[in-house]
Amino acid sequence: MKVHSLFVYPVKSLSGIEVTSFHTDDFGPVGDRRWMIVDDERRFVTQREHPELARVETQLDGDRVVINIPGEGEFGLTASNDELRVLVWRDWVKALAGLREASDALSRFCRKPVSLVFMPDSSFRRVDAGRVDEYRRVGFADGFPFLVTNTASLAELNTRLEVPVEMRRFRPNIVVEGADAWDEDHWQSLSIGNNRLSIVKPCSRCVMTTVDPSTGLKDAAVQPLRTLSRYRRTGEGVIFGQNAIHESPGLIRVGEPVTVNQSE
């Protein structure tokens, strides 16, 4: 087994970036989901209600995040010194407001008032304490620093679909190849180079999997979520991929070997 591909998502719910390697820090992949979009009630905004956000591209210019908004142009994201509390799922978190130019352009694109916010190092959002005893942090990701998926599981799903889908729909950080389909259900931990990841829980999927990442439109003819629900529904929900946490900062590269500890 080895790492097939790697992705980072600088802004929650905007397009991801495929990379050949990434460093990890306390939050997870460096820079992953440190930015987020909120509405005028400071609640998080995602592709679930605004699928068109898939069309907003992200780039990295050194440590700086740049977004390209259709019809508006490119904007470098810069955090101000203005602190505010924002809501991501059930967590109210300290954040810094982004400068207004990018937020105003994104508001015009979404046709509603939205703002870009940044999670600074001084903010601490804890991963689900019901799943992880250690006092570990996460950025604006849904709940855990990593999502790991398996190319064979996608291939198996695609045999059941009239139109195959890309892995991009499932927004993983680490994609593994060389395992059998759905082997990830039994993984307890992964070693990738000098990095060790603990598998925390299966990832339950939502309507974002029905959004075409290239067009930002929901596909009526492509039904990965409905198809998965027929044979991948568990007490955790409709499952594709595994959420994970890491033991320490490191570097993960495409092509690195992956070894697995499995449950009984």
Side-chain angles (χ1 to χ4, degrees):
M1 292 172 54
K2 65 180 181 179
V3 177
H4 172 272
S5 49
L6 298 169
F7 297 85
V8 293
Y9 306 88
V11 184
K12 183 178 181 69
S13 243
L14 299 191
S15 69
I17 304 171
E18 186 169 1
V19 295
T20 57
S21 66
F22 57 59
H23 288 273
T24 63
D25 58 16
D26 285 353
F27 288 92
V30 169
D32 189 75
R33 297 176 177 94
R34 296 288 293 274
W35 285 90
M36 184 173 74
I37 305 161
V38 297
D39 62 18
D40 54 7
E41 295 183 342
R42 300 180 181 178
R43 297 174 182 271
F44 73 123
V45 173
T46 74
Q47 288 182 36
R48 294 169 181 84
E49 61 272 14
H50 287 278
E52 68 272 15
L53 289 173
R55 297 171 54 214
V56 181
E57 298 178 353
T58 58
Q59 306 168 43
L60 295 174
D61 182 10
D63 294 333
R64 190 184 192 206
V65 178
V66 178
I67 63 173
N68 191 329
I69 306 172
E72 296 287 343
E74 288 191 354
F75 300 86
L77 301 188
T78 303
S80 71
N81 294 320
D82 297 332
E83 290 188 4
L84 66 163
R85 305 287 289 182
V86 298
L87 182 68
V88 52
W89 294 109
R90 292 172 293 180
D91 301 325
W92 285 98
V93 183
K94 183 181 79 172
L96 299 176
L99 299 184
R100 284 305 316 171
E101 185 181 13
S103 295
D104 290 344
L106 194 58
S107 297
R108 291 190 293 271
F109 178 73
C110 292
R111 298 181 181 179
K112 65 177 287 185
V114 296
S115 300
L116 286 147
V117 297
F118 177 73
M119 182 183 288
D121 291 349
S122 58
S123 182
F124 192 98
R125 177 183 175 222
R126 187 178 179 181
V127 300
D128 186 349
R131 298 283 185 173
V132 179
D133 292 334
E134 305 155 58
Y135 205 64
R136 300 294 301 277
R137 78 193 313 180
V138 63
F140 287 128
D142 278 353
F144 299 93
F146 293 90
L147 175 62
V148 183
T149 61
N150 174 4
T151 57
S153 299
L154 178 65
E156 195 280 335
L157 169 62
N158 278 333
T159 66
R160 301 169 183 259
L161 298 175
E162 292 186 12
V163 180
V165 297
E166 299 177 68
M167 191 66 86
R168 287 192 300 158
R169 286 187 185 239
F170 298 95
R171 298 177 70 83
N173 298 109
I174 301 172
V175 183
V176 172
E177 66 176 337
D180 291 335
W182 315 118
D183 272 2
E184 63 272 27
D185 292 346
H186 308 290
W187 296 347
Q188 289 185 318
S189 65
L190 302 177
S191 293
I192 306 174
N194 294 324
N195 304 274
R196 185 177 176 90
L197 280 69
S198 296
I199 303 299
V200 177
K201 64 175 288 291
C203 184
S204 58
R205 311 313 308 215
C206 69
V207 294
M208 279 181 61
T209 61
T210 66
V211 177
D212 185 327
S214 297
T215 66
L217 299 174
K218 290 184 179 179
D219 292 332
V222 181
Q223 294 291 340
L225 188 61
R226 181 183 300 172
T227 302
L228 283 168
S229 71
R230 294 172 185 152
Y231 72 115
R232 296 288 298 167
R233 184 179 293 279
T234 73
E236 301 280 359
V238 179
I239 301 305
F240 188 98
Q242 298 287 326
N243 293 120
I245 60 172
H246 57 314
E247 289 189 352
S248 59
L251 172 65
I252 297 177
R253 301 181 181 90
V254 169
E256 283 193 299
V258 177
T259 56
V260 174
N261 292 321
Q262 295 188 340
S263 59
E264 296 297 328

